[in-house]
Amino acid sequence: MNKADLLDRYVGSPIYGMAPEHRLAIVLVAATVMAAGILLLGARRQHPPAVRIVERYRALPSLYRFAAWLLAIVSAMNLGMGLGRLAGPGTWLIAVGIAEAAILRRLLTGRSWRWPLASVTVVALTVNLGLAVAGITVDQVGFLTALLEATVLAVVLRTVEGGRLRRLAASIVVVGAVGFTTLASWGGAVVAGLGGEKLGETPLPGVLLPKGTNRPPTPREQELADRFWRDTAAAIARYEDVAVAAADGYLVEAIVGSEFHAENPRYKSDGILLDPARPETLVYEETPDGPVLLGAMYEMEEIGDEGPMFAGPITVWHAHDHICFGVLPPAITGFESPLGACPLLSVSFPVTNEMMHVWTIPGVDDPYTELDEEVLDTYLEHRRTGP
Amino acid sequence: MDASHPSLDGPVAVASLLLFVQGAIAVALASEAVGAAIAFGGAPAPGAILTVAGAVATLVLAGRVRGHRRSTRRWILAFEIGWIVLAAVDLLLATFLADRGLTPVGFAVRMALPGAIIWSLRRPAAKVAFGIGEAADGQTEFPDRAQVPA
């Protein structure tokens, strides 16, 4: 498969991408930069309005000139995003964009601009929070806009007059603004992606689903899914004993935490697919009474290979993107931040091979999707207290 | 604040601000790293601890840059080059595996921002401020170290 086509086959969380309706924001930023160029040209040709604006700009100290550029860009981005989605949050974004343009005008004309800017930034951050609560994912364009707004806020707050405590408080506000924006971004993405496991749904951050449209399964597909589940449950029951799993090559020496994935390196490269007797990975839960087997995970060997949906919309495979893989020690360390980085000593994998879980514990409505935490808790409680 | 205040003007002022923003971003990344380490492994992993240390180092450097010490400038330049190298590793991996680049914010935070800091500190006026170069007329353009606020 052509590598460039690989990711086009999937739907991922918007937190790592750009919503199509935000393309106008990019166009407006480009137009803003061109307008600045035209202004400079006009000043060189001694057109009085252009001369006035450029002279005022050049009279500003470096930090305020930097702030002027940022204000122009974020104003264009907010206007572009707002015009791209006129219903709901679009109105707020347009209002913020117009306010930021007005503040830029105040900056260039020597009027008070710092506290109006701080106020508008608070409104902008509140809009971000509202989007998160409403389950609207802030995409990369929105997140970049918020970061640039936090940077302009830093210009205002870091140059505040006063003692050390006041300056420290101002610094904490800026650090908090960046952290708050990041948290809101995650929150919106998680709310939007919760339960997104079927074709046509929005997945959680870090999950890729094949493009397609969901539909009810046929009776034959349901029968195939049920049979495969029974076969898997029967075949892996012996791996409740981790010693048996270890003897067959599963890496069960250090089972920690919830839904620990114990791989079998031999089965991951044996060329055999969907064999209940040889699943590539077993999934365990760490408990005070020892590891508890939750199910199996089947995997495609190569990145880009499509998992066979043998039972139609029931058996949907998924891949992961923007996954952080630590090098010391080798382990998954999380998902890439919307800020675009993984923890130190980790690298970001853009895409993994496809995989499919089969949960074998009793009480699971759909054993091929995400494990329900309530069902898991009930099962573990039942095991703890006995029949 | 008086717009002619020395803390507002010059590439060092811009570098100081950008470093501070980078520090704020590093704090957010460190918080995520610690949270993820606990969620995935039950305890902070070495990488998460290093990320926290990196965030602290960034904020310390942001606070010290206006002291105009040459050693601080060297540390900052090395630090920023490190950011860019790590980003280049992820970029190579993404290109090799999926013909993709960094995300737009990832590019801005991990390449453009460190690049802007390096550019600011390598400007002739910044070198003069750190006592490395001289202005064209042989005079230093900025107040000497004793006058620069901490």
Side-chain angles (χ1 to χ4, degrees):
Chain A
M1 162 178 290
N2 186 317
K3 275 190 288 182
D5 297 331
L6 174 61
L7 290 173
D8 290 337
R9 220 177 60 218
Y10 297 110
V11 170
S13 173
I15 199 175
Y16 297 121
M18 185 172 78
E21 57 266 30
H22 287 173
R23 286 193 193 122
L24 182 58
I26 308 300
V27 171
L28 286 186
V29 170
T32 300
V33 173
M34 279 174 51
I38 292 169
L39 211 58
L40 195 60
L41 202 59
R44 282 191 184 154
R45 292 184 179 176
Q46 302 300 318
H47 292 298
V51 168
R52 263 201 309 276
I53 293 172
V54 171
E55 276 179 354
R56 281 175 190 159
Y57 169 80
R58 285 185 173 148
L60 294 172
S62 308
L63 269 186
Y64 286 5
R65 273 183 267 155
F66 182 57
W69 273 105
L70 289 180
L71 272 170
I73 290 169
V74 296
S75 169
M77 289 175 96
N78 277 316
L79 281 170
M81 286 191 292
L83 290 169
R85 49 164 95 216
L86 280 169
T91 318
W92 284 104
L93 293 171
I94 290 171
V96 168
I98 291 172
E100 285 165 341
I103 291 168
L104 172 61
R105 189 162 181 269
R106 293 179 74 92
L107 169 61
L108 289 173
T109 53
R111 285 181 280 172
S112 162
W113 64 278
R114 290 149 50 89
W115 294 113
L117 174 74
S119 308
V120 168
T121 305
V122 167
V123 170
L125 291 177
T126 308
V127 170
N128 268 341
L129 175 63
L131 292 174
V133 168
I136 297 173
T137 311
V138 176
D139 73 338
Q140 288 280 295
V141 174
F143 195 57
L144 184 59
T145 307
L147 281 182
L148 294 177
E149 284 166 340
T151 305
V152 190
L153 184 66
V155 173
V156 169
L157 293 183
R158 286 268 292 171
T159 53
V160 75
E161 300 234 18
R164 274 194 172 188
L165 270 180
R166 200 165 180 185
R167 292 204 302 272
L168 179 64
S171 299
I172 289 171
V173 168
V174 176
V175 171
V178 173
F180 176 84
T181 300
T182 309
L183 196 62
S185 187
W186 277 116
V190 167
V191 170
L194 266 177
E197 293 149 356
K198 297 294 188 185
L199 295 176
E201 295 176 349
T202 302
L204 286 168
V207 178
L208 292 173
L209 293 174
K211 283 180 180 171
T213 310
N214 198 21
R215 58 170 175 79
T218 63
R220 173 69 179 149
E221 286 167 342
Q222 188 65 62
E223 185 193 333
L224 285 170
D226 292 344
R227 190 194 311 163
F228 189 75
W229 179 85
R230 285 193 300 270
D231 291 345
T232 299
I236 69 170
R238 61 203 178 106
Y239 293 131
E240 277 281 1
D241 183 346
V242 292
V244 174
D248 275 1
Y250 288 96
L251 302 177
V252 292
E253 294 81 21
I255 293 176
V256 292
S258 184
E259 297 184 28
F260 179 89
H261 286 53
E263 297 180 344
N264 189 316
R266 192 157 40 98
Y267 293 167
K268 283 171 75 80
S269 55
D270 60 4
I272 299 169
L273 183 60
L274 288 172
D275 182 351
R278 302 165 70 95
E280 284 77 14
T281 301
L282 298 173
V283 186
Y284 288 92
E285 181 83 7
E286 183 193 18
T287 74
D289 301 318
V292 171
L293 180 66
L294 302 182
M297 189 173 78
Y298 297 91
E299 294 178 53
M300 302 302 293
E301 284 195 15
E302 301 290 336
I303 294 172
D305 288 348
E306 290 184 53
M309 291 169 50
F310 60 89
I314 300 174
T315 48
V316 175
W317 294 67
H318 68 274
H320 291 288
D321 66 339
H322 296 101
I323 196 162
C324 298
F325 194 80
V327 295
L328 283 172
I332 292 173
T333 55
F335 291 102
E336 185 180 305
S337 167
L339 288 159
C342 287
L344 284 174
L345 298 183
S346 303
V347 292
S348 175
F349 262 72
V351 64
T352 67
N353 53 338
E354 290 193 12
M355 56 201 76
M356 183 179 68
H357 287 108
V358 181
W359 306 108
T360 55
I361 61 172
V364 176
D365 279 338
D366 188 342
Y368 294 92
T369 58
E370 200 61 30
L371 182 59
D372 190 307
E373 290 296 321
E374 277 188 39
V375 169
L376 175 60
D377 290 342
T378 304
Y379 175 67
L380 293 175
E381 182 62 30
H382 177 79
R383 282 180 67 111
R384 216 175 8 252
T385 56
Chain B
M1 170 172 280
D2 177 3
S4 64
H5 195 287
S7 69
L8 294 175
D9 212 1
V12 177
V14 175
S16 173
L17 175 87
L18 292 177
L19 264 169
F20 175 68
V21 171
Q22 190 180 57
I25 290 169
V27 168
L29 287 170
S31 306
E32 289 173 318
V34 170
I38 292 171
F40 278 84
I49 294 168
L50 268 182
T51 308
V52 171
V56 171
T58 309
L59 289 171
V60 166
L61 288 172
R64 287 193 165 180
V65 68
R66 291 205 182 166
H68 292 201
R69 290 185 186 279
R70 291 187 197 184
S71 59
T72 304
R73 180 177 175 273
R74 282 197 292 266
W75 272 108
I76 293 169
L77 290 175
F79 200 69
E80 301 308 324
I81 289 168
W83 268 88
I84 293 174
V85 165
L86 291 176
V89 168
D90 282 344
L91 176 60
L92 280 171
L93 203 57
T95 307
F96 177 69
L97 283 176
D99 259 358
R100 284 290 190 269
L102 300 176
T103 59
V105 174
F107 176 79
V109 165
R110 303 179 71 191
M111 287 196 157
L113 179 56
I117 293 169
I118 291 171
W119 181 79
S120 297
L121 291 179
R122 287 181 60 81
R123 300 274 287 164
K127 287 182 178 177
V128 166
F130 281 95
I132 294 170
E134 279 187 5
D137 60 359
Q139 304 294 319
T140 54
E141 289 184 4
F142 289 91
D144 66 23
R145 197 171 296 169
Q147 293 178 302
V148 171

